[in-house]
Amino acid sequence: MQNLAIVDLGSNSVRMAVNELHDDGTYREVNRIKADSRLSEGMGPEKILQPKAMDRTIAALKSFRPYYEQLPHLIVRGIATAAVRQARNREEFLKRVAAATDIELEVLSGDQEAYYDYLGAVNRLKIKDCLLLDTGGASCELVHVKDGKAASLISVPFGAVNLSEQFRLDDRVTAVDLFSAQVFLRERLQDIWWLNDAKHLPLVLLGGANRTLARMNRQQQKILHVANYKFNPNKPGIFQWQSVDDVFLMVVD
């Protein structure tokens, strides 16, 4: 048996999962931890990782070590996504992470990130035709799933954190700022021609921003246990939240 620790360094949080890999090909998750790091905070149009954000992220990675470093037959894999991928000073950051934690991070391309989204969701959903949207902190990944296969996919370099900073979408959102953000998104997304092929298909939403929406809605409805509950403020039954391995997926019919 081997132990596999996977560290996923996102734009808004850092996650770690530890799995036992058995000789018969099966596996069992034995630990899962998350720490908020907001790595992409303050990157701005210059795409520079900020010192405080890097320090927070490295501190989170170091805090994970006691959960796996004493395990026998250990493999540690680390991946980084949009914030590091886009950063002009990413090599500096990768060297700092390696020196502090001994983790050599693999920086995923946008297409790799979108494809892993597809792999992680398609095997757990009964839907064979849909559009996947992963809303991250510094990017969004879109995948058109047709007959259970990834027909088209793309990663676009804007997400919940950098859009909020660019258009001042904080606790007090003005109509002007919201409209500007909507125009920006419409202009960027209209160039993705294959999105027309995904019209009228169920929309599966995943990622940290959508998990937050799910939790907010659970609190509003006073729902303690999530199985497959439905939500829509105007037309009940349109939205269906599914909890799959502690990852919230929102299916919009």
Side-chain angles (χ1 to χ4, degrees):
M1 185 189 76
Q2 289 184 318
N3 286 287
L4 172 64
I6 301 175
V7 176
D8 178 3
L9 201 160
S11 304
N12 207 30
S13 63
V14 185
R15 297 171 182 271
M16 185 199 68
V18 178
N19 291 270
E20 292 178 349
L21 306 182
H22 301 140
D23 295 336
D24 62 359
T26 61
Y27 67 93
R28 182 175 73 93
E29 184 177 278
V30 296
N31 214 333
R32 179 186 290 262
I33 304 172
K34 172 194 170 186
D36 294 327
S37 58
R38 209 167 174 83
L39 178 60
S40 61
E41 184 177 51
M43 289 181 69
E46 299 84 8
K47 299 301 180 183
I48 301 293
L49 294 171
Q50 297 302 301
K52 289 184 178 179
M54 290 192 287
D55 290 344
R56 284 196 303 266
T57 303
I58 292 172
L61 291 173
K62 291 171 70 173
S63 73
F64 292 165
R65 294 187 64 175
Y67 294 94
Y68 65 79
E69 61 183 353
Q70 300 300 323
L71 295 174
H73 309 294
L74 177 66
I75 301 171
V76 180
R77 292 287 304 275
I79 59 173
T81 53
V84 180
R85 181 169 65 240
Q86 298 170 14
R88 291 172 55 190
N89 58 337
R90 78 175 189 176
E91 292 304 322
E92 171 197 347
F93 176 68
L94 293 175
K95 289 178 181 178
R96 286 191 58 190
V97 169
T101 68
D102 292 326
I103 297 175
E104 299 286 344
L105 289 172
E106 176 188 357
V107 182
L108 299 183
S109 69
D111 284 353
Q112 284 178 310
E113 188 174 356
Y115 186 70
Y116 288 142
D117 283 335
Y118 156 75
L119 287 181
V122 74
N123 293 324
R124 292 169 172 81
L125 292 173
K126 297 179 180 179
I127 299 172
K128 295 298 182 182
D129 298 280
C130 65
L131 178 67
L132 297 179
L133 169 60
D134 178 3
T135 306
S139 72
C140 289
E141 284 66 49
L142 293 142
V143 185
H144 177 204
V145 180
K146 184 177 181 180
D147 296 327
K149 306 296 183 181
S152 302
L153 55 80
I154 194 172
S155 176
V156 290
F158 43 80
V161 176
N162 53 15
L163 282 176
S164 295
E165 291 180 348
Q166 181 177 348
F167 294 101
R168 298 177 294 278
L169 304 179
D170 48 22
D171 291 337
R172 294 180 179 273
V173 180
T174 68
V176 171
D177 288 336
L178 181 60
F179 179 75
S180 297
Q182 290 173 328
V183 170
F184 173 86
L185 289 171
R186 189 178 297 115
E187 290 176 347
R188 298 305 186 276
L189 295 176
Q190 69 182 3
D191 294 332
I192 306 173
W193 62 269
W194 52 262
L195 285 179
N196 290 321
D197 298 333
K199 282 185 176 179
H200 311 301
L201 290 179
L203 177 63
V204 178
L205 303 181
L206 54 156
N210 296 311
R211 282 191 291 271
T212 298
L213 289 176
R215 294 188 183 101
M216 290 169 62
N217 182 238
R218 284 175 59 191
Q219 291 177 352
Q220 289 175 347
Q221 296 196 49
K222 296 181 172 58
I223 296 175
L224 298 179
H225 302 288
V226 178
N228 292 314
Y229 73 93
K230 296 182 178 181
F231 161 73
N232 189 306
N234 301 313
K235 188 176 180 181
I238 288 291
F239 293 83
Q240 185 175 30
W241 297 92
Q242 300 181 0
S243 179
V244 180
D245 291 346
D246 199 33
V247 176
F248 288 106
L249 306 177
M250 186 171 77
V251 181
V252 185
D253 295 322

